[in-house]
Amino acid sequence: MVNKQGQTRLAQYYEWLTLEERRALEGEIVRKCLARNEQQCSFVEHRNYKIVYRRYASLFFLVGVDNDENELAILEFIHLLVETMDRHFGNVCELDIMFHLEKAHFMLEEMVMNGCIVETSKANILTPVQLLEKT
Amino acid sequence: MKEYIIRLVYVEMLGHDASFGYIHAVKMIHDDSLLVKRTGYLAVTLFLNEDHDLIILIVNTIQKDLKSDNYLVVCAALNAVCKLINEETIPAVLPQIVELLAHPKEAVRKKAIMALHRFYQKSSSSVSHLVSNFRKRLCDNDPGVMGATLCPLFDLITNDVNSYKDLVISFVSILKQVAERRLPKAYDYHQMPAPFIQIKLLKILALLGSSDKQASENMYTVVGDIFRKCDSSSNIGNAVLYECICCVSSIYPNHKLLESAADAISRFLKSDSHNLKYMGIDALGRLIKISPEIAEQHQLAVIDCLEDPDDTLKRKTFELLYKMTKSTNVEVIVDRMIDYMNSINDNHYKTEIASRCVELAEQFAPSNQWFIQTMNKVFEHAGDLVNIKVAHNLMRLIAEGFGEDDDTADSQLRSSAVESYLHILGEPKLPSVFLQVICWVLGEYGTADGKYSASYITGKLCDVAEAYSNDETVKAYAVTALMKIYAFEIAAGRKVDMLPECHSLMEEFLASHSTDLQQRAYELQAVIGLDAHAVESILPSDASCEDIEVDKALSFLNDYIQESIEKGAQPYIPESERTGMLNISNFRNQDHHEASSHGLRFEAYELPKQTVQARIPPASLASTELVPVPEAMYPRESYQTTTVPSVSSDAASTELKLRLDGVQKRWGRQTHFPSTSTSNSTSLKTVNGITQVDGSNTANSRTRETYDSRKQVEISPEKQKLAASLFGGPSKTEKKSATGHKSSKPSSHMVKSHAPKSSMEVASEKTSVQQPPDLLDFGEPTVKSTAPSLDPFKDLEGLLEPTTQVSSAVNHSSTAAVTKSPDIMGLYTETTAGAHHKDSDILSGLSKPPMTNMVGGTTTMQVAQSSKGPNLKDSLEKDALVRQIGVTPSSQNPNLFKDILG
């Protein structure tokens, strides 16, 4: 998750990369995606991956997938993540994610494990997060 | 504390090192507060990888937490399990996770399944007995658990389709229930019932149904239903539709489903959204394999996409074109691809598209002329990015002609190739690989049709070698080409006069630091000095396609082996069984082509190891300065450690003895090299431009081309024309299995090495026959593990002398080999760059008095071949000097090893 200035706001990897590799990869991808306009399609090829990205106001959500993934579905998955955050934070914005980074991570952890989508029900995703808050 | 840790996560996320705080994150997971513990787990999963040292501190906590009563704690621990447990620690948590599969909370069951999935990804053997659990969980009451189970099952089915055919019915019924909205409303997304589960299921069905009619028949109804129910106005609906199309194109074809798929595709393509167009193109690419006729109705849409400024879309369209290429439209498509290739800068994609061009051209080329022109273009624009094999293919194609074609067509092809290459040479800055092809072709066929004079071609070749003076491979090719042309001239009885620039070039190469170039230059000189008859037998005209037989088993050595085994020598131990020979096996890996040196290593290889181990202990006793060498250490290193201290302290008699030993062993070690090179390099080396050069191109600097500006966007009628030419003959869809040359292409590269034939072989046989006794001499002293410090040199002498008596051709090459052997030796030890000085010490040691007999032995040969320097001693010293200066011919130049090792 990256903002308009290309600053990373949230990052989660499902394959281990060193800090240097991450920085380089993020830089390359973000540069590629930020350069694209509204009309162009939301998929970018990068080396062996495809990047699916979606823009919400000032935030870019970027997901790297391998070649036989359904790009449209990933695009909608991004939207589902945003809807889920919306429900939790109430009209989510960049600041929400900055100040509640751990919660955003918890949600993502509920939804994706081992690089697969495991949970798509908003209620199921949010229950553990909300329970954590109460304790 | 929690806040600090989150700051730390930020620090790492923005790309700074925060390793100082990792330990605090680890501490946090012990915290009693749930939120803090959870954050701690989050932090460690973000900070650490599974091989980090701190993991060992975490495993214990995870074990404890997995037993917790609070399911949130268990979930947190399971999340960490998925990220941090490596292969070795799997057993520590596996039993608990299996227990958790029956946990009353669905969230826990789901995460436990995913943990098992992770273990399966890490090491499938560790959970192979638990696969049945995945099947069981598929029937879980909770749709979330069921949905999660699809992930590991998808992986399992990808790896092994047949064991899961029985699940087709279950998957179909689940999909049906999902599509009929039997799942809780919570899973709906934009009015679609659980679309992500549907997509996953469709993916699985596509796998299970591929080329399985029976399984596919079960799916038809439900997939048809989904087609009908999908709402194509929303993105997610289209995502499911797309997945349906993928499924339909993968399973056994069904006419009705194909129709609905085609409908869906046309809706995608007609849409304004680029995303949908992209999906449509992709889907079309999939469907086109089964029903090629549907492409026709979408041709204009495809052309639109091809000309779209959006790069992603364009690439996808090229992918589609690549899939629908056939012999009728290959010219248009490849031209387009090359144009596009010129317009992009991304090396990764450029390589891909270049290799596609080559593949298509090879497969569908309508004419040979066209093929060569296309290859020229590809090389010109992306020469350094294409695989070297492609260049070799092209060379062979030109050399072999096109199978069924008659000879005149072949020679026409060759002369047209020569002509086009001569033309292209005028352009500045060509890629190295392309230049190699050009040099080879010019050398082989430049003068074949008599159109161009030898001096013209040689002039051009000299220009190439001069213009690309920092590219040794190109220079090597150029020299070999020069040699061929001169040889052809001599053989044809014409008098050869070298151009002045050629002379100066040769002089430069004779003193070259590259041993490969040097050898080639000497060979050229030698060949020019020979008479027509000898030259013809060395370099017969147009013989590049003749096979040479290499007796890999070296059966002519069998008697000798038998004999030496009877005398108590150790039998040959295959290389893989010998430890510590890493260095050698590395080199061996580089030479793909010939394994013929295998046999020659029979006895010689055993020597160094034995002697080293026998001798080093006394040496280390004798001098306390010496580093004791562990037994296991492999020979090469032992030489260095033993010889260097002795040379530096240089006085005591024991040390002197040791030094001689070291020298002797070095020679003992090398014994097989002269023999290898005399027998093998003669046959493989000279004409053969192809086998030598593999893999040496990595060092080439990448030259960028200046590209033509991109093609202007065409106007509508042109578009139509293009469409027509692309889709022109959709009915002739059978992949025409190209015109003869294709079939021969992928095969036989290894078997045929393009080199001259018989005569060389005879020569090599001759030398080899004479070697056995020498080799035996070599073998014996060391096998008995006595220490006759001078013997090896006598032996070497013995080895060299007989060779002087054989025919001049052999003589020439063995000279090259002998003069080379110090280099080889140097190369061998110098793979570790730090070894220069040691090496030179030893070399200078070699040329000192005790060895003069050997030097004398070789000088007799030198006289016969006056082209070489004054004598071997000098050249050795010179070589040592060069080495001291710090030139490392090794690693830069694997070709050399190829020549010598086979």
Side-chain angles (χ1 to χ4, degrees):
Chain A
M1 201 182 296
V2 173
N3 76 0
K4 214 160 59 178
Q5 282 83 47
Q7 293 159 315
T8 313
R9 289 296 173 227
L10 184 151
Q12 179 72 269
Y13 290 81
Y14 298 94
E15 272 167 29
W16 179 260
L17 294 176
T18 65
L19 218 54
E20 281 305 304
E21 288 168 334
R22 289 180 183 204
R23 194 154 56 176
L25 182 71
E26 282 171 23
E28 281 172 47
I29 292 174
V30 167
R31 240 173 289 128
K32 262 190 186 174
C33 292
L34 292 189
R36 295 172 69 84
N37 63 32
E38 298 280 321
Q39 275 81 47
Q40 291 175 316
C41 65
S42 338
F43 320 122
V44 184
E45 280 173 44
H46 182 72
R47 308 219 188 127
N48 308 321
Y49 321 93
K50 279 185 295 194
I51 311 296
V52 180
Y53 72 93
R54 194 156 179 165
R55 185 181 167 178
Y56 292 91
S58 62
L59 268 186
F60 280 84
F61 289 71
L62 309 142
V63 182
V65 294
D66 57 13
N67 265 323
D68 40 79
E69 197 64 60
N70 184 331
E71 294 93 336
L72 266 186
I74 298 298
L75 201 63
E76 287 312 291
F77 173 75
I78 294 174
H79 191 68
L80 176 66
L81 175 66
V82 174
E83 280 183 9
T84 313
M85 287 183 180
D86 232 21
R87 184 183 287 193
H88 183 77
F89 295 113
N91 213 353
V92 67
C93 68
E94 191 177 338
L95 285 181
D96 284 325
I97 293 164
M98 280 179 73
F99 290 122
H100 304 279
L101 185 67
E102 78 281 9
K103 280 176 202 146
H105 265 294
F106 294 157
M107 286 179 226
L108 197 58
E109 278 190 347
E110 293 295 324
M111 296 172 79
V112 183
M113 289 178 87
N114 305 343
C116 305
I117 301 173
V118 290
E119 186 57 74
T120 51
S121 147
K122 279 173 222 152
N124 282 359
I125 297 163
L126 291 178
T127 329
V129 181
Q130 279 157 352
L131 278 175
L132 271 180
E133 262 190 346
K134 279 179 205 154
T135 53
Chain B
M1 194 64 205
K2 180 181 152 247
E3 284 305 311
Y4 287 127
I5 286 293
I6 291 170
R7 293 288 139 80
L8 219 53
V9 171
Y10 252 108
V11 167
E12 284 259 292
M13 197 168 69
L14 296 174
H16 307 283
D17 182 51
S19 51
F20 60 86
Y22 291 175
I23 188 69
H24 298 289
V26 173
K27 273 191 211 150
M28 253 174 85
I29 64 173
H30 297 286
D31 203 287
D32 290 331
S33 154
L34 189 56
L35 187 59
V36 176
K37 189 193 249 318
R38 183 76 178 82
T39 312
Y41 269 122
L42 173 71
V44 289
T45 56
L46 291 172
F47 289 149
L48 307 181
N49 67 341
E50 52 186 34
D51 298 320
H52 199 280
D53 296 337
L54 291 174
I55 295 293
I56 209 81
L57 298 173
I58 297 170
V59 173
N60 201 12
T61 321
I62 289 181
Q63 279 179 320
K64 209 176 75 211
D65 285 346
L66 286 176
K67 287 183 197 135
S68 167
D69 293 334
N70 187 335
Y71 87 94
L72 289 174
V73 173
V74 181
C75 284
L78 281 169
N79 269 335
V81 165
C82 281
K83 292 232 163 167
L84 298 178
I85 297 294
N86 59 17
E87 242 184 291
E88 286 127 53
T89 38
I90 286 176
V93 291
L94 189 58
Q96 283 170 316
I97 287 177
V98 175
E99 267 172 47
L100 290 175
L101 285 175
H103 197 274
K105 265 288 178 190
E106 60 278 353
V108 176
R109 292 200 300 271
K110 183 172 67 192
K111 285 189 192 291
I113 281 284
M114 291 316 282
L116 282 186
H117 178 216
R118 175 69 176 177
F119 295 163
Y120 175 77
Q121 285 175 336
K122 282 278 144 209
S123 110
S124 53
S125 56
S126 66
V127 290
S128 54
H129 56 290
L130 298 168
V131 167
S132 62
N133 283 302
F134 292 134
R135 287 163 178 260
K136 245 184 272 166
R137 285 302 125 208
L138 187 63
C139 313
D140 200 284
N141 294 329
D142 182 74
V145 182
M146 183 272 295
T149 317
L150 296 177
C151 301
L153 279 173
F154 177 75
D155 281 6
L156 284 168
I157 292 170
T158 313
N159 291 335
D160 175 20
V161 178
N162 290 324
S163 336
Y164 297 90
K165 293 283 187 196
D166 56 313
L167 284 178
V168 171
I169 309 282
S170 326
F171 287 130
V172 167
S173 77
I174 294 171
L175 185 55
K176 206 166 163 218
Q177 289 176 37
V178 174
E180 286 168 0
R181 299 180 181 270
R182 303 263 190 84
L183 290 191
K185 274 266 178 275
Y187 285 90
D188 284 11
Y189 174 83
H190 292 199
Q191 282 87 48
M192 281 288 289
F196 295 100
I197 294 180
Q198 284 193 41
I199 287 170
K200 200 85 198 174
L201 278 167
L202 283 166
K203 271 188 203 287
I204 292 176
L205 289 183
L207 283 176
L208 286 170
S210 103
S211 61
D212 181 341
K213 194 173 179 197
Q214 205 195 341
S216 303
E217 271 163 3
N218 290 320
M219 305 169 191
Y220 291 153
T221 342
V222 68
V223 177
D225 279 353
I226 296 174
F227 262 124
R228 247 174 292 123
K229 282 182 185 162
C230 270
D231 157 30
S232 60
S233 61
S234 72
N235 256 338
I236 191 69
N238 287 324
V240 177
L241 264 182
Y242 166 79
E243 206 56 57
C244 282
I245 299 170
C246 293
C247 181
V248 165
S249 62
S250 156
I251 62 178
Y252 190 85
N254 169 290
H255 185 65
K256 236 176 112 196
L257 286 182
L258 285 177
E259 256 175 27
S260 8
D263 280 352
I265 288 176
S266 65
R267 250 179 294 152
F268 281 167
L269 286 175
K270 278 177 197 139
S271 138
D272 286 333
S273 149
H274 274 73
N275 287 345
L276 286 185
K277 275 188 190 165
Y278 174 92
M279 302 308 274
I281 294 280
D282 187 81
L284 191 60
R286 288 168 192 269
L287 209 59
I288 210 160
K289 278 180 234 152
I290 6 178
S291 61
E293 69 279 357
I294 65 160
E296 213 169 344
Q297 49 178 311
H298 302 303
Q299 38 182 285
L300 280 180
V302 172
I303 302 294
D304 273 339
C305 290
L306 193 61
E307 269 149 24
D308 199 278
D310 187 344
D311 217 36
T312 316
L313 197 53
K314 209 176 223 170
R315 284 182 192 184
K316 203 76 199 172
T317 316
F318 273 115
E319 215 167 280
L320 171 71
L321 290 184
Y322 167 72
K323 282 176 190 156
M324 52 185 265
T325 306
K326 42 193 176 273
S327 47
T328 48
N329 59 12
V330 64
E331 290 177 62
V332 190
I333 289 178
V334 172
D335 281 353
R336 279 268 161 170
M337 278 184 166
I338 291 174
D339 281 342
Y340 178 61
M341 189 174 76
N342 298 345
S343 72
I344 54 174
N345 289 320
D346 177 355
N347 273 348
H348 178 78
Y349 193 63
K350 209 167 181 171
T351 315
E352 197 180 308
I353 206 159
S355 65
R356 280 186 173 172
C357 284
V358 171
E359 193 185 319
L360 290 179
E362 285 182 356
Q363 223 170 355
F364 300 109
S367 75
N368 302 334
Q369 234 82 356
W370 180 85
F371 178 74
I372 288 186
Q373 269 166 14
T374 309
M375 298 304 273
N376 287 354
K377 272 190 228 158
V378 173
F379 275 122
E380 229 175 300
H381 296 303
D384 291 320
L385 301 172
V386 293
N387 194 325
I388 183 84
K389 270 194 189 132
V390 174
H392 293 169
N393 266 346
L394 178 61
M395 285 191 253
R396 192 177 53 244
L397 185 75
I398 295 174
E400 287 177 353
F402 291 90
E404 75 243 25
D405 289 355
D406 53 317
D407 279 352
T408 46
D410 280 356
S411 55
Q412 254 175 18
L413 166 74
R414 285 168 195 162
S415 52
S416 78
V418 167
E419 208 157 320
S420 68
Y421 288 152
L422 284 174
H423 182 69
I424 285 169
L425 271 184
E427 288 176 28
K429 282 238 165 200
L430 294 165
S432 162
V433 183
F434 191 37
L435 281 168
Q436 291 165 26
V437 176
I438 293 179
C439 286
W440 189 85
V441 171
L442 288 185
E444 200 67 34
Y445 304 111
T447 53
D449 61 352
K451 198 167 164 190
Y452 297 99
S453 70
S455 60
Y456 179 71
I457 303 275
T458 49
K460 283 278 184 191
L461 285 169
C462 290
D463 288 347
V464 170
E466 265 161 36
Y468 299 88
S469 55
N470 51 4
D471 188 338
E472 304 223 317
T473 326
V474 169
K475 281 197 284 187
Y477 264 99
V479 175
T480 312
L482 282 175
M483 178 160 68
K484 280 186 232 171
I485 288 179
Y486 285 131
F488 298 153
E489 288 294 293
I490 295 170
R494 280 187 286 266
K495 185 156 162 40
V496 177
D497 22 52
M498 269 181 145
L499 298 174
E501 65 243 52
C502 190
H503 266 299
S504 62
L505 198 66
M506 280 313 119
E507 251 145 56
E508 185 193 320
F509 288 167
L510 287 175
S512 168
H513 287 167
S514 153
T515 44
D516 182 44
L517 270 183
Q518 221 178 1
Q519 173 165 359
R520 283 169 200 258
Y522 277 120
E523 280 172 1
L524 171 61
Q525 275 198 340
V527 166
I528 287 173
L530 297 172
D531 65 29
H533 184 68
V535 169
E536 197 167 10
S537 56
I538 302 172
L539 290 165
S541 179
D542 191 18
S544 59
C545 305
E546 311 281 335
D547 297 350
I548 8 169
E549 285 167 32
V550 179
D551 184 0
K552 286 191 185 173
L554 296 181
S555 50
F556 53 84
L557 281 176
N558 283 350
D559 289 344
Y560 159 64
I561 294 159
Q562 199 57 41
E563 199 183 323
S564 52
I565 288 178
E566 273 162 20
K567 282 183 188 166
Q570 283 194 349
Y572 172 72
I573 303 165
E575 192 178 311
S576 52
E577 289 169 31
R578 263 174 281 140
T579 51
M581 290 291 193
L582 290 176
N583 196 22
I584 294 149
S585 53
N586 280 346
F587 287 130
R588 300 291 313 291
N589 289 343
Q590 287 178 355
D591 79 51
H592 306 288
H593 287 277
E594 304 296 332
S596 55
S597 53
H598 246 305
L600 277 174
R601 296 227 174 110
F602 268 81
E603 306 302 314
Y605 254 82
E606 276 308 292
L607 307 184
K609 208 176 170 194
Q610 259 189 350
T611 49
V612 167
Q613 287 182 353
R615 281 170 201 173
I616 278 162
S620 51
L621 283 177
S623 148
T624 44
E625 289 170 50
L626 288 178
V627 195
V629 180
E631 293 281 303
M633 193 178 254
Y634 61 93
R636 193 173 64 80
E637 276 188 0
S638 344
Y639 293 144
Q640 288 165 7
T641 39
T642 50
T643 49
V644 171
S646 65
V647 168
S648 59
S649 54
D650 193 54
S653 63
T654 46
E655 280 166 354
L656 187 67
K657 184 168 180 285
L658 175 70
R659 178 175 161 192
L660 280 171
D661 286 353
V663 171
Q664 185 244 324
K665 270 174 267 157
R666 196 170 276 282
W667 278 101
R669 180 92 188 285
Q670 298 299 331
T671 46
H672 59 284
F673 279 122
S675 56
T676 332
S677 43
T678 40
S679 61
N680 286 333
S681 75
T682 13
S683 54
L684 295 179
K685 178 81 191 34
T686 39
V687 174
N688 175 354
I690 287 179
T691 46
Q692 294 159 6
V693 188
D694 290 46
S696 62
N697 282 331
T698 45
N700 292 340
S701 58
R702 305 203 151 181
T703 47
R704 277 287 167 81
E705 298 302 304
T706 48
Y707 301 115
D708 308 331
S709 57
R710 258 183 57 193
K711 254 194 172 177
Q712 296 301 306
V713 180
E714 280 156 289
I715 43 162
S716 175
E718 269 181 42
K719 222 187 233 182
Q720 301 252 352
K721 217 169 85 190
L722 177 64
S725 58
L726 281 178
F727 299 87
S731 49
K732 301 173 206 159
T733 48
E734 78 285 1
K735 274 204 168 184
K736 203 175 144 194
S737 67
T739 56
H741 63 268
K742 164 66 183 162
S743 53
S744 67
K745 196 144 296 159
S747 64
S748 84
H749 188 65
M750 300 295 188
V751 191
K752 290 186 184 176
S753 29
H754 301 226
K757 214 193 138 181
S758 55
S759 63
M760 298 304 280
E761 223 183 315
V762 173
S764 64
E765 288 277 356
K766 246 183 189 167
T767 25
S768 323
V769 169
Q770 286 174 344
Q771 277 155 24
D774 304 319
L775 273 171
L776 185 62
D777 285 350
F778 254 114
E780 271 182 339
T782 22
V783 168
K784 289 175 203 151
S785 88
T786 54
S789 53
L790 284 179
D791 260 19
F793 301 106
K794 279 182 193 158
D795 292 332
L796 185 72
E797 193 186 349
L799 183 71
L800 295 175
E801 271 178 341
T803 48
T804 56
Q805 291 144 21
V806 287
S807 74
S808 60
V810 179
N811 202 343
H812 144 69
S813 61
S814 62
T815 316
V818 167
T819 48
K820 252 187 161 184
S821 61
D823 294 343
I824 299 152
M825 187 168 69
L827 285 170
Y828 235 87
T829 46
E830 277 189 8
T831 40
T832 49
H836 302 312
H837 58 291
K838 302 164 196 170
D839 209 45
S840 59
D841 283 342
I842 291 145
L843 282 167
S844 54
L846 269 180
S847 51
K848 278 174 186 171
M851 296 71 181
T852 40
N853 55 349
M854 165 223 141
V855 174
T858 36
T859 36
T860 50
M861 276 180 60
Q862 298 296 335
V863 175
Q865 286 291 322
S866 56
S867 56
K868 185 66 187 166
N871 65 19
L872 183 59
K873 185 180 167 184
D874 280 7
S875 67
L876 276 174
E877 273 166 357
K878 184 178 140 204
D879 207 79
L881 192 70
V882 168
R883 238 164 268 282
Q884 262 166 339
I885 294 163
V887 181
T888 34
S890 71
S891 75
Q892 297 293 327
N893 194 3
N895 295 343
L896 183 62
F897 284 95
K898 222 155 280 161
D899 297 340
I900 284 143
L901 296 174

